[in-house]
Amino acid sequence: MDVESVLAIVIGVVFGLAILSALFVPVGLLVRKEEKKQAEAAPAEDALQEPAGTRFVRARVLQKKINHYYYKGLNLPKNESSFVLVFETEEGETEEYPVPEELFMQTEEGQEGTLVTINGMFFDFGEGQDISDETDGQPTTQTQNHGGENMQEKE
């Protein structure tokens, strides 16, 4: 075989691969686009599902604590406070969580309610609110955490 015939074979193979990729790449993009549409549609159906690691437990506030911290910085000293609630769960466990100041002020020692945690971190404490769901007329319980996020649960 001479150089020209080897070159012609190589060019033919490269050209054939280019044609095949031109045919299969758009098909692959269409499949991915369809999979993406299905993935976007699925969360709408599961909108009322709880995030993974969510825990609801009956609890009572045992103690309210305010921790004060003093930082000496280069410019100005800084005082900060953190607000902590100590809970006793229905299992008899004692759990302590930092909470927003607003919730801290609204709770009292001895108050009972539902403690909601997500992946071991505080989310909310209270009884939630009953609201009517406009789509099916069944009441739902909506709990709004103090970060502004809503969680709904069908009754």
Side-chain angles (χ1 to χ4, degrees):
M1 262 194 200
D2 61 349
V3 175
E4 290 177 356
S5 57
V6 170
L7 187 60
I9 292 173
V10 170
I11 290 174
V13 169
V14 170
F15 186 70
L17 290 174
I19 290 174
L20 286 175
S21 65
L23 292 174
F24 288 112
V25 168
V27 171
L29 291 175
L30 288 174
V31 169
R32 285 186 191 159
K33 190 174 184 180
E34 186 63 32
E35 288 173 354
K36 186 175 179 181
K37 282 183 185 178
Q38 289 174 354
E40 288 173 357
E45 297 167 1
D46 301 333
L48 296 178
Q49 284 189 348
E50 301 165 1
T54 302
R55 177 177 152 230
F56 296 87
V57 64
R58 294 293 299 168
R60 181 172 58 91
V61 177
L62 283 181
Q63 184 181 12
K64 293 171 68 171
K65 299 191 297 189
I66 301 175
N67 296 326
H68 297 284
Y69 301 98
Y70 177 76
Y71 299 99
K72 230 182 199 184
L74 295 174
N75 297 329
L76 294 172
K78 187 176 180 183
N79 280 319
E80 287 190 12
S81 300
S82 71
F83 301 91
V84 177
L85 292 178
V86 179
F87 297 96
E88 179 181 25
T89 66
E90 63 188 354
E91 294 98 18
E93 302 280 328
T94 301
E95 299 179 13
E96 186 173 309
Y97 298 101
V99 298
E101 181 179 4
E102 178 184 346
L103 178 66
F104 182 85
M105 297 307 221
Q106 293 173 355
T107 58
E108 298 177 11
E109 289 184 5
Q111 181 177 342
E112 293 187 6
T114 302
L115 173 63
V116 182
T117 59
I118 299 177
N119 295 327
M121 297 184 66
F122 179 84
F123 184 77
D124 193 33
F125 176 72
E127 293 301 325
Q129 297 175 301
D130 286 336
I131 59 172
S132 66
D133 187 1
E134 296 175 8
T135 58
D136 60 7
Q138 293 183 7
T140 59
T141 299
Q142 177 172 338
T143 303
Q144 182 175 23
N145 77 340
H146 296 283
E149 298 173 24
N150 288 328
M151 290 184 62
Q152 292 185 354
E153 183 177 301
K154 292 268 188 197
E155 291 183 347

